[in-house]
C-alpha cells in the first residue's frame, strides 16, 4: 500500500472526523514511523482543520514524532522508583553499547534511547517502552540482549515474550478486588434500581472520586444528569479517566488488566444514571498494550448483551469506545482530557463551566476515575448501607494503593479507608524507612513522625501512589526527580507554571551541582508561593509540593549541598571559558578562573 | 529624636564599563551641572573618570555592561568584594543587551567566522596572546554571577533617572522612579 | 443600573451586569487591573495570569472569574503586585527582549506593564532561547523572540479574519509556540495580509509591519505619554 492509500485508509476508518485526530495520528504513525509535514498536510485537508491546528496537536504529545525517529525507539521510565532500581546506569550502559547519546537518533536511523515520565510499572521496574510496548524488570543482562536484537533489527514482536510480562502483584484484597461478581450482575442490579434509585444509592453511599480530588460522585452524576444537552445533537457522556499519569500510581493498570468487566460495568451504570448513550475510556499511551485486550473485552460484553441497545432486555442503550493518549500527564486533568478526546492539545479549560455542564463536544459529561467507576458496581449490587459500613464516616469504602520503592513486597494493596500509613508499611515489608510519598509528586511527603496518620479524605487523601524511601535515600534527589517531572509535563499554557516549573528544575539542578546558596532556597519558596496561587490548573498549583515538603521535613538534605552563604552563579565560570580555550589552545593561568571559593 | 542622618564623610563610588559602550557613563556625565552637587557628596574610586586601576573599599559600585570575557568577571568580582552596594546600570548590565545577541550562536563558530574566514586569514587566526582575556561561551548579565543590589534599566538610562536614583541612594531612600524615568530603551 | 449588583475592588464599589467578569466590570468602570492576554474584543484566554487578584481571600484570574454581588476583590496590593512582577520577569527571561532594538518599544503592553509594576530587572537567569524570525512575507515580519503566548493572534485570525493562520501548539517552556498554517511553516505561504486584524493585534513586538521602522519619536509613543494604568479604555454603553 502506498503512503497515501495507507493514510486514506486510516482517515476513512475514522470517518475523517477531526475529533478523532489523536487516534488518526497514532495509527498513521504506527505504520509510517513518524508524522512528516506532508502527512500532517494530508490529514489537515481530510479532516478540514487548519493545518496549524493539526500540527499543534502533533507537537504537544511526547509520543507523536514530527521528526524522523529511530526504527527502534527505547524510552526508559524515569520515575524515582525506576532510578532507585538502577535505571540510570542501565540506560547509560545501553547508550554506550549502542554508541548513542540519550535523546539522539543514531545516524543510520536505527535506534534512539531516551527517558519518559513514569510508565506505571513501579512495582516491577526498571521499566521501559520499546516502540510503545512496555518492558519490565530490566537488568544488565537484558540490556545486552536487547542491544543485540536491535542491532540485528529483530522486530519487537519476535523478542522474548517474558520481557513483556506485566504482573498484577495483588498483595491485599478487600471489598473491590474480592468482589465476587459475575459480568452483568451489578448492571442488572442497577437497572433494577432505575436511574433515580441508583443515583440515590450512590449518594447515600457517599462515594467520593478516587482520582485525587475526592469530589462526591453522587453530586457529579446528579449535576450531569440535570444539565441539558446543547445544540442540534444534544447528548451526555461518561468518560473513564484511565490516564493514570501520576508517578508511582499503577492501580488502574491492574483494574484494567484483570477487572475490566467491573470498570466497563461501572461506566454503564454511570451512563444509566446520567442518561448517556456513550462512554469513552481514555487510556494512557503507556498502556498501549492493553488496547487490544480491552477491545476484545468490549466485544465480549456486546455479545453478552451488556453493551449496545436493549441491554439485558431493557430500553437502556450504551456503548463504550477507547481513546488512546500519547504521553502527556496533563491529560489526566479532566478538562485537558476532554480537549484531548476532541483531538486537541491537552490544555485545561477555564472552569466554570465544568464538564458536567459543558464537557466532551460541549455536552454534559461526567469524568470519573477507573476505580470510582468500579466501586459503583459494589454499591449497585450490595446497596449503600453495605458499602458505607466499610471505611470511615467521611471516606466510605476501600482504597487501592500502588506500593513501590523500598519494601519487600511492592504491588497492589486494597484497604478500607482509615488504615494508617504505618500499617501499609508493615504489610509491604518496609524497614528502615524515612519517608513515604503519598499520591505521587503532586501529593504529600510524609516523614516518620506522621506515619500514624490515616489514608482517608479527611486525613491523607490519595489517588493511590505510595512510594517508600528508606534511610539510604537522598530526599533531595527525590524532590529533584519530581521537579524534572513537572517541568517536562507542564502544558505551557499559563505563565507561572510554564516558566516556573523550569525555574524550579534549574534551581534544583544548581543545588545538585553544589552551586547553591541560601538565596536559592528562598527562591524556591518564592516560586512555590507564586505557582500555588496563580497557576491555571492543579498541575502548576501542586508542582512545588515535593520541593516544599522536603525543604520543610528534610532540610539538611539541601543544606549539606549548599556551596556558600553568598550568592553563587548557576553555572561553572571556569567551564564558561572552555570554548575559547579550545579555539585558542591556551591553558595558562589567565585562561582559567581561580577557584571560585577563594576568588 | 528625628535628627537627619547626615553622611559623616563623602561616599566613595567606583564605576566600570564592562561589555558596554560607555553610553551609560556618558549618561552619568549628562546630569550636567548637577555633577558638582554630586561631587560634594561623593568621591570617585576606580572609574574611567579617574585613573585608579583597582577598586578599594567603596560605598557604591556602578557597573555598565554585561559579562562577555574573563576580564569582565574579574572586575565584577572585585567590585562585589569591595562595594557595599552594587548598581547594575543600563540594559547590557541587566540583560546582556546587544552583546548577548550572540548567545544563540556557538562561540566557536563566532570566533571562526571573525578570525578565520578567507579575507581575514592574514590576521593570523584566533589571537591566543595570554595578555588577552578569553571570551565567555555566553554573554551574561551581572546578576547571574554576583548579587546585584539595584538596577537602573535604559539604553542608556536617562540622566534624570541616574540623578534620581543616586540622590535616593545617597539620602538612604529606596530608589523609586516615576513615569518617564523607568524605561528599557 | 441595579444598585445591588456591585462588588468591591480595592475598596472601590464597582457596578456590574450579571455575566460580566471582574475584568470587564473593572474596565467599564475605568479601573486598571494589569493584564496582557485579555482583550475586550476577543474570547477570554486566561493564560498570562497578570490579572491575578484575590477574591474573598483566594487567588483567581479576574479575566475569567464572573463578578458576584458583594465580592471583596484585592487588586493593587503589594502582595499581588509582587507576584505580577515575578510573572513579568518570567516572560522577560523566557524570550529575548532587547527593547532598544525593538520597533514595538514605547507601544508595547509587556513593557508598559513592566514599567507600571516597576520591574527593574529580569531577576532570573536568562534563557536566551533560540527562536525563529520569519521574514518571508512581503509586508509583515514575525520575530518570535518576543512572543508571550497570549494567543491574541490566534483569536484574531480565527474569529475576525476567518483565516486560521496561527494556532498555539507544542508543550512546555521550550515546546509551546505559535504554529503557522502552512507546510513550510512560513508566513508567506499562508493567506495572511497586512490588513488582517491579526497583523495589528500583537501586544508585543512579534507581528510587525515591514518598512515602518521606529515611526514615532521617543517621547511621543503611546506609553511615553501616560502610564498604561491611566489608559484604561472606558467603553461607553
Ligand atoms: C494534573 C492532573 C492530573 C490528573 N491525573 C489524573 C489521572 O491520571 N487519573 C484520574 O483519575 N484523575 C486525574 N486527575 C483528576 C481529574 O481531574 C478528575 O478530578 C478525576 O478524573 C475525577 O474522577 P473522580 O471524581 O472519579 O476522582 C488529575 C488532575 C490533575 C490536576
Ligand atoms: S498550571 Fe501548568 S499544566 Fe496547568 S494550565 Fe498552567 S501550564 Fe498548563
Ligand atoms: S516586545 Fe516589548 S518588551 Fe519585548 S523587546 Fe519589544 S518592546 Fe521590549
Ligand atoms: S505572536 Fe503576539 S499575539 Fe501571537 S501569541 Fe505571540 S505575543 Fe500573542
Ligand atoms: S489577562 Fe487574565 S490571564 Fe491574561
Amino acid at each position: 500500500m502506498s503512503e497515501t492509500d495507507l493514510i486514506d485508509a486510516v482517515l476513512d476508518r475514522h470517518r475523517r472526523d477531526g475529533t478523532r485526530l489523536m487516534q488518526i495520528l497514532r495509527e498513521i504513525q504506527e505504520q509510517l514511523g513518524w508524522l512528516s509535514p506532508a502527512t500532517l498536510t494530508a490529514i489537515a485537508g481530510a479532516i478540514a482543520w487548519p493545518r496549524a491546528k493539526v500540527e499543534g496537536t502533533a507537537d504537544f504529545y511526547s509520543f507523536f514524532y514530527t521528526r524522523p525517529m529511530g526504527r527502534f525507539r527505547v524510552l526508559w521510565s524515569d520515575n524515582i522508583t525506576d532510578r532507585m532500581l538502577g535505571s540510570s546506569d542501565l540506560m547509560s550502559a545501553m547508550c554506550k553499547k549502542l554508541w548513542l547519546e540519550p535523546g539522539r537518533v543514531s545516524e543510520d536511523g536505527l535506534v534512539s534511547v531516551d527517558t519518559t515520565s513514569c510508565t506505571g510499572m513501579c512495582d516491577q521496574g526498571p521499566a521501559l517502552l520499546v516502540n510503545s510496548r512496555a518492558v519490565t524488570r530490566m537488568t544488565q543482562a537484558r540490556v545486552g540482549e536487547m542491544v543485540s536484537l536491535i542491532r540485528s533489527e529483530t522486530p519487537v514482536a519476535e523478542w522474548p515474550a517474558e520481557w513483556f510480562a506485566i504482573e498484577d502483584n495483588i498483595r491485599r484484597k478487600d471489598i473491590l478486588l474480592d468482589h465476587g461478581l459475575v459480568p452483568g450482575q451489578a448492571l442488572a442490579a442497577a437497572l433494577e434500581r432505575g436511574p433515580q434509585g441508583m443515583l440515590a444509592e450512590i449518594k447515600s453511599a457517599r462515594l467520593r472520586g478516587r482520582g485525587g480530588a475526592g469530589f462526591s460522585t453522587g453530586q457529579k452524576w446528579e449535576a450531569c444528569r440535570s444539565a441539558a444537552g446543547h445544540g442540534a445533537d444534544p447528548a451526555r457522556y461518561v468518560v473513564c479517566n484511565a490516564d493514570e499519569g501520576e508517578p508511582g500510581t499503577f492501580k488502574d493498570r491492574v483494574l484494567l488488566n484483570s477487572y475490566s468487566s467491573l470498570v466497563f460495568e461501572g461506566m454503564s451504570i454511570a451512563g444509566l444514571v446520567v442518561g448517556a448513550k456513550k462512554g469513552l475510556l481514555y487510556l494512557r499511551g503507556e498502556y498501549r498494550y492493553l488496547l487490544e485486550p480491552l477491545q476484545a473485552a468490549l466485544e465480549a460484553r456486546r455479545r453478552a448483551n451488556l453493551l449496545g441497545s436493549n441491554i439485558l432486555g431493557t430500553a437502556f442503550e450504551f456503548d463504550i469506545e477507547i481513546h488512546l493518549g500519547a504521553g502527556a500527564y496533563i491529560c489526566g486533568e479532566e478538562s485537558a482530557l476532554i480537549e484531548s478526546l476532541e483531538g486537541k492539545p491537552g490544555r485545561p479549560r477555564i472552569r466554570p463551566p465544568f464538564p458536567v455542564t459543558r464537557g466532551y463536544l460541549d455536552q454534559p459529561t461526567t469524568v470519573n476515575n477507573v476505580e470510582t467507576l468500579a466501586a459503583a458496581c459494589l454499591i449497585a449490587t450490595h446497596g449503600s448501607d453495605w458499602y458505607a459500613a466499610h471505611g470511615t464516616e467521611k471516606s466510605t469504602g476501600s482504597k487501592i494503593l500502588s506500593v513501590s520503592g523500598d519494601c519487600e513486597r511492592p504491588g497492589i494493596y486494597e484497604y478500607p479507608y482509615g488504615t494508617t500509613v504505618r500499617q501499609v508499611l508493615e504489610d509491604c515489608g518496609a524497614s528502615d524507612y524515612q519517608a513515604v510519598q503519598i499520591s505521587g509528586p503532586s501529593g504529600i511527603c510524609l516523614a516518620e513522625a506522621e506515619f500514624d496518620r490515616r489514608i482517608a479524605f479527611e486525613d491523607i487523601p490519595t489517588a493511590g501512589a505510595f512510594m517508600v524511601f528508606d534511610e539510604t535515600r537522598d530526599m533531595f534527589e527525590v524532590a529533584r526527580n519530581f521537579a524534572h517531572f513537572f517541568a517536562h509535563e507542564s502544558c505551557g499554557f499559563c505563565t507561572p507554571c510554564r516558566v516556573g516549573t523550569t525555574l524550579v528544575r534549574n534551581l534544583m539542578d544548581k543545588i545538585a551541582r553544589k552551586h547553591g546558596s541560601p538565596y536559592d532556597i528562598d527562591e524556591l519558596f518564592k516560586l512555590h508561593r507564586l505557582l500555588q496561587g496563580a497557576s491555571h490548573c492543579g498541575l502548576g498549583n501542586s508542582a512545588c509540593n515535593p520541593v516544599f515538603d522536603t525543604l520543610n521535613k528534610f532540610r539538611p538534605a539541601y543544606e549539606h549541598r549548599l556551596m556558600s552563604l553568598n550568592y553563587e552563579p548557576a553555572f561553572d565560570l571556569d567551564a564558561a571559558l572552555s570554548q575559547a580555550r579550545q579555539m585558542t589552545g591556551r591553558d595558562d593561568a589567565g585562561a582559567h578562573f581561580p577557584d571560585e571559593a577563594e576568588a | 529624636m528625628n535628627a537627619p542622618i547626615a553622611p559623616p564623610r563623602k561616599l566613595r563610588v567606583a564605576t566600570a564599563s564592562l561589555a558596554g559602550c560607555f553610553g551609560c557613563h556618558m549618561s552619568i556625565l549628562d546630569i550636567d551641572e548637577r555633577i558638582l552637587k554630586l561631587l560634594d557628596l561623593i568621591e570617585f574610586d576606580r572609574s574611567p573618570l579617574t585613573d585608579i586601576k583597582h577598586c578599594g573599599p567603596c560605598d557604591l559600585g556602578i557597573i555598565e555592561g554585561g559579562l562577555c570575557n574573563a576580564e569582565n568577571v574579574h572586575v565584577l568580582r572585585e567590585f562585589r568584594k569591595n562595594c557595599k552596594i552594587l548598581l547594575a546600570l543600563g540594559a547590557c548590565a541587566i540583560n546582556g543587551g546587544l552583546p548577548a545577541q550572540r548567545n544563540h550562536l556557538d562561540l566557536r563558530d563566532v570566533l571562526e567566522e571573525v578570525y578565520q574566514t578567507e579575507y581575514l586569514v592574514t590576521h593570523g587566526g584566533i589571537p591566543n596572546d595570554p595578555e588577552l582575556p578569553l571570551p565567555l561561551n555566553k554573554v551574561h548579565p551581572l546578576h547571574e554571577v554576583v548579587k546585584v543590589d539595584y538596577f537602573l534599566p535604559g539604553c542608556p538610562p536617562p540622566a534624570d533617572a541616574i540623578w534620581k536614583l543616586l540622590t535616593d541612594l545617597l539620602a538612604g531612600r529606596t530608589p523609586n522612579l516615576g513615569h518617564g524615568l523607568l524605561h528599557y530603551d | 443600573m441595579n444598585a445591588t449588583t456591585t462588588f468591591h475592588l480595592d475598596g472601590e464599589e464597582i457596578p456590574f451586569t450579571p455575566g460580566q467578569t471582574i475584568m470587564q466590570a473593572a474596565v467599564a468602570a475605568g479601573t486598571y487591573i494589569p493584564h496582557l492576554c485579555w482583550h475586550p474584543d476577543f474570547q477570554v484566554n486566561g493564560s498570562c495570569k497578570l490579572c491575578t487578584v484575590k477574591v474573598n481571600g483566594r487567588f483567581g484570574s479576574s479575566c475569567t472569574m464572573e463578578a458576584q454581588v458583594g465580592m471583596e476583590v484585592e487588586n493593587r496590593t503589594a502582595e499581588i503586585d509582587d507576584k505580577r512582577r515575578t510573572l513579568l520577569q518570567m516572560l522577560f527571561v523566557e524570550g529575548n527582549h532587547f527593547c532598544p532594538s525593538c520597533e514595538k518599544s514605547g507601544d508595547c503592553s509587556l513593557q508598559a506593564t513592566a514599567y507600571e509594576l516597576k520591574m527593574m530587572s529580569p531577576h532570573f537567569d536568562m534563557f536566551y532561547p533560540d527562536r525563529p524570525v520569519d521574514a518571508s512575507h512581503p509586508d509583515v515580519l514575525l520575530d518570535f523572540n518576543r512572543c508571550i503566548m497570549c494567543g491574541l493572534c490566534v483569536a484574531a485570525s480565527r474569529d475576525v479574519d476567518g483565516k486560521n493562520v496561527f494556532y498555539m501548539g507544542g508543550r512546555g517552556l521550550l515546546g509551546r509556540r505559535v504554529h503557522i498554517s502552512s507546510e513550510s511553516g512560513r508566513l508567506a505561504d499562508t493567506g495572511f495580509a497586512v490588513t488582517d486584524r491579526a497583523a495589528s493585534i500583537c501586544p508585543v513586538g512579534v507581528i510587525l509591519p515591514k518598512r515602518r521602522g521606529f515611526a514615532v519619536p521617543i517621547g511621543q509613543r503611546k506609553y511615553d505619554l501616560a502610564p498604561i494604568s491611566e489608559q484604561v479604555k472606558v467603553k461607553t454603553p
Side-chain angles (χ1 to χ4, degrees), chain C residues 23 34-38 45-51 61-64:
Chain C
M23 177 70 79
H35 61 269
L36 289 172
C37 69
W38 180 79
N45 188 43
S47 67
C48 74
K49 301 301 174 198
L50 256 291
C51 70
S61 310
S62 57
C63 71
T64 65

Side-chain angles (χ1 to χ4, degrees), chain C residues 99 101-107 141 146 208-210 212-214:
Chain C
C99 300
S101 53
C102 177
E103 287 179 26
K104 192 76 175 181
S105 194
D107 190 24
L141 176 80
R146 304 162 185 150
L208 295 169
K210 286 186 173 173
R212 197 190 55 178
F214 297 84

Side-chain angles (χ1 to χ4, degrees), chain A residues 60 330 335-336 339 345-350 491 493 536, chain C residues 45 176:
Chain A
F60 182 83
I330 189 58
S335 65
E339 289 281 298
R347 197 212 88 186
R349 292 179 177 175
I350 293 167
C491 86
F493 170 69
H536 179 67
Chain C
N45 188 43
R176 191 160 173 83

Side-chain angles (χ1 to χ4, degrees), chain B residues 19-21 24 63-67 88-100 139-142 154-155, chain C residues 100 128:
Chain B
C21 68
C24 296
I63 295 197
E64 154 193 336
L67 306 166
L89 184 67
C92 303
I94 291 174
N95 67 15
L98 197 72
V139 175
H140 296 272
L142 306 185
C155 186
Chain C
Y128 294 126

Side-chain angles (χ1 to χ4, degrees), chain A residues 95-121:
Chain A
C95 286
K96 217 166 140 194
K97 283 186 209 292
L98 288 164
W99 294 88
L100 202 61
E101 248 180 86
R104 293 269 178 89
V105 182
S106 62
E107 267 172 33
D108 53 2
L110 175 68
V111 55
S112 61
V113 179
D114 207 344
T115 54
T116 189
S117 298
C118 177
T119 60
M121 303 290 165

Side-chain angles (χ1 to χ4, degrees), chain B residues 91 94-98 100-101 103-104 138-141 143-144 151-153 155 165 176-179 182-185, chain C residues 92 97-101 105-106 111 114-115 118-126 128 130 221 223-227:
Chain B
I94 291 174
N95 67 15
L98 197 72
Q101 308 259 17
N103 277 356
H104 63 278
K138 297 278 175 232
V139 175
H140 296 272
H143 72 272
E144 290 189 7
F151 300 84
L152 181 56
C155 186
L165 186 114
N176 187 3
L177 304 181
H179 178 70
L182 171 59
H183 63 66
Y184 301 158
D185 56 6
Chain C
F92 271 88
H97 294 273
F98 298 108
C99 300
S101 53
S105 194
Q111 191 190 58
Y115 294 167
K118 303 231 187 300
M119 188 191 104
M120 305 304 284
S121 83
H123 181 82
F124 300 110
D125 287 5
M126 313 288 294
Y128 294 126
D130 194 4
R221 301 164 307 181
Y223 297 113
D224 292 337
L225 301 176

Side-chain angles (χ1 to χ4, degrees), chain A residues 57-78:
Chain A
T57 296
D59 229 22
F60 182 83
Y61 296 91
S62 293
F63 297 162
F64 289 148
Y65 306 116
T66 50
R67 239 160 275 169
M69 289 300 290
R71 294 191 285 290
F72 292 88
R73 298 171 303 281
V74 180
L75 290 171
W76 287 83
S77 177
D78 199 24

